[in-house]
Amino acid sequence: MKTYSISEVAEYFDMTPHTLRYYDKEGLMPFIERTSSGKRIFKESDIGALKVIECLKSSGMPIKEIKHFIEWCSEGDSTLQQRYDMFLERKASVEAQMEELQKTMKVIEHKCLYYKTALDCGTEDVHKNNLRKSASAH
């Protein structure tokens, strides 16, 4: 079975070994084994678990709630409903974030077009003329 060092895992996830040690200290990685000298050994299954942890973290879930999820996983099938409900909540949260980001993107795209047009014309005054034409058309 292939194993990975903390440095290899940190590089894979583009994070520092310190972050992985923090996750371990916070109880997010109770599954990590150690060598006789105390070094953490990561297996493929650990990488998969870390992918879920990173997903939850990037969705905005606090470490404390991620720890609850990890605890539920270790409790087995009796917590399937809690885990399912948690992911439904995460899904709704991410969808709301995406909706907000879409609104933000529309403003950014509008401003890109605004400034591109102004650059092409050499002045922002081109927009003032468009506003006057638009107002007189109504």
Side-chain angles (χ1 to χ4, degrees):
M1 166 180 54
K2 177 140 174 65
T3 60
Y4 305 90
S5 70
I6 193 168
S7 298
E8 290 171 319
V9 174
E11 186 177 329
Y12 177 84
F13 283 100
D14 194 26
M15 64 175 63
T16 65
H18 173 77
T19 300
L20 287 167
R21 286 187 208 98
Y22 172 74
Y23 286 179
D24 194 16
K25 185 179 130 251
E26 290 299 312
L28 301 185
M29 302 187 316
F31 44 82
I32 297 299
E33 295 176 15
R34 292 179 182 255
T35 65
S36 57
S37 62
K39 289 186 176 182
R40 292 166 184 87
I41 303 170
F42 294 83
K43 302 178 302 257
E44 286 295 333
S45 59
D46 302 331
I47 304 291
L50 279 166
K51 284 179 182 176
V52 174
I53 290 168
E54 281 300 289
C55 170
L56 293 172
K57 189 172 153 265
S58 71
S59 77
M61 181 178 263
I63 297 288
K64 186 177 177 181
E65 289 182 36
I66 296 173
K67 185 177 179 183
H68 287 303
F69 169 72
I70 299 298
E71 289 166 354
W72 289 336
C73 290
S74 67
E75 291 174 26
D77 290 347
S78 65
T79 62
L80 284 172
Q81 187 66 53
Q82 288 101 316
R83 289 182 271 162
Y84 175 68
D85 291 344
M86 184 210 71
F87 272 99
L88 286 178
E89 289 172 15
R90 283 291 92 209
K91 182 177 182 282
S93 174
V94 169
E95 287 170 344
Q97 290 172 35
M98 289 170 64
E99 194 173 305
E100 284 302 309
L101 284 172
Q102 286 294 339
K103 290 177 188 175
T104 301
M105 183 58 84
K106 284 183 181 181
V107 172
I108 290 170
E109 287 173 342
H110 170 77
K111 285 307 204 177
C112 285
L113 181 61
Y114 174 94
Y115 287 112
K116 175 71 173 119
T117 303
L119 280 167
D120 289 347
C121 295
T123 179
E124 270 186 275
D125 288 344
V126 67
H127 297 293
K128 291 177 185 170
N129 292 337
N130 286 340
L131 282 176
R132 282 190 212 113
K133 288 177 190 173
S134 161
S136 65
H138 287 80

